Amino acid sequence: MNEQLIHTYLSGHATPGEQRELLEWLRESEENKRLFFEMKAVWSGLQTMDKLAESDRMESSLRMLNEKIDRRAAHMIKPTVSKSSFAVSGKWMLMIAAVILLILLPLTWILREGSTSDITQLYVTNRSNLVKVLYLPDGTKVWLKKNTSLIYPEKFSTKQREVILDGEAFFDVTKDKKHPFVVKTSSFNIKVLGTTFNVHSYKEDVQVSAVLESGVIQLQSAQGDALVTMHPGQQALYKPDTKELEVSYVAVNEHTSWRYNLVTLNNVTIHEVVKSLEENYQIKIQTDSVTLRDHRYNFTYDKGDSAEESVRMLQYVTGLNCKITKR
């Protein structure tokens, strides 16, 4: 992929033909989407910088990112379309290995569909700082964020596909009109046929949310009452205690890029960026940020990268001297 095409698109000068070419490239693989998000993050962050210094830093930042693209491309294996197996880059292979090593705790409960039967339930929890990916029995793909748990049956029933979520997850649901897919949480339910969406609902949350990427979903109360039908690009914020519901259009990528192990920070101070890096990498960062304390940034980094590489990206974006002082 020609990196210049991405630069042209981000600057707003891409022709309709170039936009179609970029879209086709993004559809080829998850790795392509990840690389695009990283380049977009660098570009967005640099928009907040002083215009006189922007050119040199932009060149340095993009050069570093292009080197990363080249390194990944050298080890990338083209993914297949199969839902049962897929080829991946080295980093994705590590993620798959992590999923395979998950502790699956078998649970048994009673589901009533005309007659009573025992169905084995599987419990998956992600305590890792990295995203975990798994496939459900129907081929649905799920990304689990840190401190997220999912309960799902070893085999879906003949009536509907039902899972129970505590935490944040992104779902790419296999389409099946005869068997609706239902995500149950402690605060609300989501009913779909086949679509991609993000759910954020921890048990202790006062406000929970859903963001729809594609398709159509119905947001329901925990009791099953319909709340709203959502369309692509919309986010629903819901407060279970007060029943307050707010639906608005958002930049979907900002709410879903975490599934590529990316941390996306928007309109934040340098202090907030440093705090995020320190918490994720368990390090201490020294930087002279006094002169930029009122500046705000859009900054994204890959948790799979080393602490040194992410801090170096911060230096390129802000122009500050940053140093890791303690691990």
Side-chain angles (χ1 to χ4, degrees):
M1 181 67 184
N2 184 356
E3 291 86 4
Q4 185 59 45
L5 176 57
I6 300 179
H7 301 168
T8 303
Y9 173 81
L10 293 175
S11 65
H13 297 115
T15 65
E18 290 173 328
Q19 292 177 21
R20 287 194 296 271
E21 182 181 349
L22 177 62
L23 180 60
E24 289 301 317
W25 179 75
L26 289 173
R27 288 173 174 170
E28 286 179 4
S29 69
E30 297 291 338
E31 183 70 13
N32 290 351
K33 292 180 183 178
R34 175 202 290 269
L35 294 174
F36 175 75
F37 287 147
E38 292 188 19
M39 295 191 76
K40 182 179 179 181
V42 172
W43 187 279
S44 297
L46 287 168
Q47 305 312 303
T48 63
M49 295 166 49
D50 180 76
K51 295 298 181 181
L52 294 177
E54 184 172 343
S55 179
D56 290 341
R57 290 179 191 163
M58 175 71 78
E59 183 178 351
S60 298
S61 299
L62 293 178
R63 186 186 309 117
M64 184 179 77
L65 192 55
N66 289 342
E67 290 174 357
K68 180 187 290 187
I69 291 174
D70 292 339
R71 291 198 302 271
R72 288 181 178 176
H75 298 87
M76 192 186 305
I77 303 175
K78 185 176 181 180
T80 67
V81 184
S82 170
K83 287 186 177 292
S84 60
S85 63
F86 55 100
V88 294
S89 66
K91 185 175 292 184
W92 276 105
M93 188 66 73
L94 291 177
M95 292 167 63
I96 296 171
V99 173
I100 294 175
L101 293 176
L102 283 175
I103 301 175
L104 298 179
L105 303 179
L107 301 177
T108 302
W109 63 8
I110 303 298
L111 293 181
R112 295 177 182 174
E113 299 178 1
S115 61
T116 301
S117 60
D118 290 347
I119 299 179
T120 301
Q121 299 293 313
L122 301 178
Y123 174 82
V124 178
T125 185
N126 179 18
R127 303 300 180 193
S128 168
N129 198 37
L130 298 179
V131 175
K132 288 184 178 178
V133 184
L134 67 150
Y135 282 88
L136 303 185
D138 65 337
T140 291
K141 188 176 181 180
V142 186
W143 290 257
L144 299 180
K145 206 169 187 179
K146 183 179 180 181
N147 295 328
T148 295
S149 300
L150 185 73
I151 298 175
Y152 64 96
E154 189 174 45
K155 181 180 180 180
F156 283 119
S157 70
T158 57
K159 185 176 180 181
Q160 67 179 17
R161 299 168 290 168
E162 185 175 291
V163 301
I164 301 175
L165 174 72
D166 177 31
E168 184 167 4
F170 185 91
F171 292 84
D172 187 350
V173 179
T174 298
K175 190 170 184 178
D176 184 348
K177 293 183 178 180
K178 295 182 179 179
H179 304 94
F181 189 94
V182 178
V183 179
K184 289 192 170 184
T185 77
S186 60
S187 300
F188 63 174
N189 301 334
I190 293 178
K191 185 176 182 179
V192 303
L193 294 177
T195 182
T196 56
F197 59 98
N198 192 81
V199 183
H200 182 114
S201 180
Y202 291 89
K203 290 180 180 178
E204 65 274 13
D205 286 343
V206 176
Q207 178 175 269
V208 294
S209 67
V211 176
L212 180 60
E213 182 179 74
S214 66
V216 178
I217 63 176
Q218 183 184 74
L219 199 66
Q220 304 174 335
S221 68
Q223 294 72 39
D225 300 323
L227 296 174
V228 67
T229 297
M230 295 177 59
H231 301 282
Q234 289 185 329
Q235 177 189 52
L237 299 176
Y238 180 60
K239 295 181 180 179
D241 291 341
T242 63
K243 309 302 181 185
E244 293 180 59
L245 175 65
E246 178 185 343
V247 179
S248 61
Y249 283 92
V250 297
V252 174
N253 290 340
E254 294 180 4
H255 299 272
T256 62
S257 61
W258 63 262
R259 72 186 190 273
Y260 303 112
N261 276 312
L262 300 178
V263 177
T264 301
L265 306 171
N266 297 300
N267 194 33
V268 295
T269 64
I270 184 67
H271 173 73
E272 291 172 301
V273 176
V274 169
K275 181 180 179 182
S276 176
L277 289 169
E278 289 180 336
E279 290 178 348
N280 271 293
Y281 290 111
Q282 296 297 298
I283 60 175
K284 288 294 182 182
I285 300 174
Q286 179 182 349
T287 180
D288 180 17
S289 59
V290 177
T291 58
L292 298 179
R293 61 186 177 186
D294 296 327
H295 287 226
R296 296 207 164 255
Y297 299 89
N298 295 328
F299 184 74
T300 298
Y301 64 94
D302 187 336
K303 290 192 292 186
D305 289 340
S306 67
E308 289 77 10
E309 190 168 1
S310 293
V311 171
R312 188 162 64 250
M313 178 68 77
L314 176 62
Q315 291 185 116
Y316 282 133
V317 170
T318 64
L320 293 173
N321 290 320
C322 305
K323 181 180 180 182
I324 299 176
T325 58
K326 184 180 179 181
R327 286 186 176 274

